[in-house]
Amino acid sequence: MENKETVVPGLPTVLHRQYSLDISAGLLRTQGYIDGRWVSAPSTFPVLDPATGKELAKVADCGPREAQDAVNAAYKAFHSWKRQTAKERSVLLRKWFDLLNQHKEDLAKIITAECGKPMKESLGEIAYSASFLEWFSEEARRMYGDFVPSAAKDRKILLLKQPVGVAAIITPWNFPSAMITRKVGAALAAGCTVVVKPAEDTPLSALALAELAEQAGIPAGVFNVVPCSREKTPSVGELICTDPLVGKVSFTGSTATGKILLKHAAGTVKRVSMELGGHAPFIVFDSADVDKAVAGAMGSKFRNSGQTCVCSNRFLVQSGIHNVFVEKLGKAMDAELRLGHGSDPNTTQGPLINARAAEKVEHQVKDAVSQGAVLLRGGKRLEGSFMEPTLLANVTTDMLCTKEETFGPLVPVLKFNTEEEALAIANASHVGLAGYFFSQDISQIWRVAEHLEVGMVGVNEGLLSTPEASFGGVKQSGLGREGSKYGIEEYLDVKYMCFGGLTP
């Protein structure tokens, strides 16, 4: 791409340019990756820079036929991959980890180009991505079974752990690298093989990972990537979720889509992991350190321009501290947030993934203001998919922004009086992925942490993701856990072996 000026009203002129995707040869792959080969499809689909709308590349638009080839390849490879020793699989995952670190700059450029997040965040995502390969390379050698004392003297009871088989991996666009390695690292460590269907907005990161997997020596058929357009996504998703050769489905995305995939998987009673939508409360109690709470809010809300499943969505601030928190948060937004293309080093807030995403945030802002919310910062939809970071006060539970996940840079602040009131508002949701609160009252910390109906709680902390800890939600936020020692269990079956006929 040329590096030329493109006018985007509302953004600083210095950021109105189209940035080139200058990466090492070989990492920018545009074909599918099946059975260790790069394969074309009958048609292609465009991948766009969300900041400019310009085309980055044309990628193979794989359909059910290519998906079936990938499933067949993965099933064939599974029978040899599962017989490799845990140490052999561990070594290969470690080599893959090393390659991600070696190519972190180029991999980050790909993320910024197709996802829009600032380069600093993209580099952070690559480090996060690599950490899962490192973690599960170590966990591969710790898949302990059990030896259980038997009530009968002529029997021994053993519980063995074995891989479930081929895993269908369906990932979102907001973390196009990390959401793959978090799932695939666990699957490969367990002895499973995988078919990855990346998000149609961000297939280039998945294909770059495939290139490095091949360089690491991951055998043909163990790791397959089937990119496809939005139009072909339903048919490809249905095939890999219903094929009897697939033993496991792991999905990260919206609750609505997760329910469709669950129905597909039910036909053959597959194992499933679902990491679905969130609606995270961020509670600030009167006892909180306000400055730390503001810093936590900035990190939790504005990472990837508010487009993370664990982003704080509803800000509940106790009456005694409400005004000072809102004032300081507004000043922090003014001082720290800069809109622009993610490749510009001054940018902290990139575009939203597409125009539909920006329209959703704009609609929530208009709805809130029409019902009496006070607009303190931002609120404007800019050209393309840019949205100003927005701060709203006087928000109520009747407004859309408190009823549905935003996935954008909107901070709606609700005032509350008592702890019981805050918990009631926070838990009045059909989803429960993450929740955050700030307090210096130890008794309150224990009470609130235990009563929040979420799978993950940040106490005086706005950023909580790490490979060592379990990631997942309750209610309609999903099933299963990723990361931690529990993540690998999602790809293992427990086989009971009764060894009888022994001489006492």
Side-chain angles (χ1 to χ4, degrees):
M1 295 189 305
E2 297 178 1
N3 191 25
K4 61 183 181 180
E5 298 293 322
T6 58
V7 177
V8 181
L11 298 179
T13 303
V14 71
L15 301 179
H16 293 161
R17 63 173 61 92
Q18 184 178 337
Y19 289 80
S20 62
L21 183 53
D22 179 22
I23 64 172
S24 301
L27 280 184
L28 184 59
R29 290 288 191 171
T30 58
Q31 296 172 294
Y33 185 69
I34 300 172
D35 202 16
R37 302 189 309 274
W38 294 100
V39 299
S40 299
S43 60
T44 61
F45 67 98
V47 178
L48 307 179
D49 178 344
T52 65
K54 302 298 183 181
E55 184 176 298
L56 296 169
K58 291 186 182 298
V59 174
D61 193 3
C62 296
R65 178 178 176 179
E66 290 78 18
Q68 186 66 69
D69 290 342
V71 170
N72 292 341
Y75 186 72
K76 179 182 177 182
F78 171 63
H79 295 290
S80 56
W81 180 247
K82 70 178 181 180
R83 287 196 293 268
Q84 291 207 16
T85 67
K87 183 175 182 179
E88 288 171 333
R89 294 195 296 268
S90 174
V91 168
L92 290 175
L93 284 170
R94 181 73 194 198
K95 287 180 179 178
W96 199 8
F97 160 78
D98 290 336
L99 285 168
L100 259 67
N101 283 326
Q102 290 174 29
H103 295 276
K104 61 184 179 182
E105 294 281 347
D106 285 339
L107 294 171
K109 288 178 182 177
I110 293 174
I111 292 176
T112 291
E114 64 179 352
C115 176
K117 66 178 63 174
M119 267 295 290
K120 182 178 179 181
E121 288 190 25
S122 295
L123 285 166
E125 180 177 343
I126 293 304
Y128 186 49
S129 304
S131 72
F132 285 106
L133 298 181
E134 179 184 39
W135 174 261
F136 286 114
S137 74
E138 296 163 348
E139 286 298 291
R141 303 183 68 184
R142 303 190 183 104
M143 294 186 296
Y144 305 131
D146 292 296
F147 180 85
V148 182
S150 172
K153 294 181 179 180
D154 64 344
R155 297 180 183 178
K156 299 296 182 184
I157 296 174
L158 294 92
L159 304 181
L160 312 176
K161 292 184 180 179
Q162 296 183 317
V164 300
V166 177
I169 306 294
I170 304 175
T171 56
W173 51 262
N174 59 337
F175 286 89
S177 178
M179 295 303 94
I180 292 176
T181 59
R182 189 163 73 187
K183 299 173 187 294
V184 172
L188 267 56
C192 296
T193 55
V194 301
V195 176
V196 177
K197 205 297 285 183
E200 58 271 14
D201 293 300
T202 56
L204 300 178
S205 291
L207 297 170
L209 289 176
E211 169 63 28
L212 295 181
E214 185 175 83
Q215 291 182 24
I218 304 293
V222 172
F223 181 69
N224 305 275
V225 180
V226 184
C228 64
S229 63
R230 189 178 305 277
E231 291 71 26
K232 290 187 179 177
T233 288
S235 59
V236 170
E238 182 175 357
L239 186 142
I240 62 178
C241 289
T242 58
D243 193 298
L245 298 183
V246 174
K248 161 83 180 187
V249 175
S250 180
F251 169 71
T252 294
S254 71
T255 298
T257 301
K259 290 178 180 179
I260 293 171
L261 299 181
L262 279 168
K263 290 179 181 178
H264 289 329
T268 46
V269 196
K270 300 186 192 304
R271 291 277 296 276
V272 294
S273 294
M274 295 278 151
E275 194 259 286
L276 308 177
H279 194 32
F282 186 102
I283 308 172
V284 186
F285 290 103
D286 282 345
S287 69
D289 181 315
V290 178
D291 292 330
K292 287 183 179 179
V294 168
M298 292 293 291
S300 175
K301 177 74 258 186
F302 294 111
R303 186 166 58 117
N304 196 19
S305 299
Q307 300 174 111
T308 84
C309 54
V310 293
C311 269
S312 296
N313 213 59
R314 298 167 292 159
F315 288 75
L316 314 176
V317 185
Q318 199 159 12
S319 54
I321 209 170
H322 174 274
N323 291 349
V324 65
F325 173 84
V326 171
E327 180 183 359
K328 289 191 173 186
L329 180 59
K331 289 180 179 179
M333 291 170 63
D334 293 339
E336 299 175 27
L337 303 182
R338 295 290 180 272
L339 277 167
H341 196 289
S343 295
D344 191 293
N346 294 316
T347 294
T348 66
Q349 297 291 285
L352 301 190
I353 190 63
N354 51 41
R356 294 187 307 278
E359 288 165 3
K360 179 180 180 181
V361 180
E362 181 184 31
H363 179 59
Q364 286 193 359
V365 172
K366 289 181 177 178
D367 170 79
V369 172
S370 72
Q371 295 190 60
V374 178
L375 183 64
L376 299 179
R377 293 291 190 287
K380 292 181 182 178
R381 161 85 185 281
L382 304 177
E383 186 170 311
S385 59
F386 282 92
M387 184 74 199
E388 284 185 333
T390 301
L391 176 61
L392 294 174
N394 200 34
V395 172
T396 70
T397 56
D398 295 324
M399 299 172 184
L400 272 180
C401 57
T402 62
K403 293 180 178 180
E404 61 182 29
E405 190 174 21
T406 300
F407 241 61
L410 170 60
V411 180
V413 180
L414 298 84
K415 184 187 294 187
F416 72 90
N417 293 310
T418 67
E419 179 183 310
E420 293 75 19
E421 180 187 357
L423 283 169
I425 295 172
N427 291 335
S429 173
H430 67 277
V431 294
L433 188 58
Y436 309 87
F437 69 92
F438 281 71
S439 170
Q440 296 185 92
D441 181 333
I442 297 299
S443 295
Q444 183 177 63
I445 286 172
W446 280 111
R447 286 194 308 270
V448 174
E450 290 182 349
H451 285 97
L452 273 178
E453 295 172 358
V454 295
M456 298 172 282
V457 182
V459 183
N460 296 325
E461 179 58 61
L463 300 173
L464 44 67
S465 299
T466 178
E468 295 85 358
S470 62
F471 192 103
V474 299
K475 298 182 178 179
Q476 293 186 38
S477 279
L479 303 166
R481 291 296 181 267
E482 295 183 338
S484 79
K485 68 176 184 178
Y486 300 106
I488 202 167
E489 300 288 339
E490 301 289 337
Y491 297 89
L492 294 168
D493 284 327
V494 177
K495 178 183 284 185
Y496 161 38
M497 186 175 80
C498 180
F499 194 167
L502 301 176
T503 303

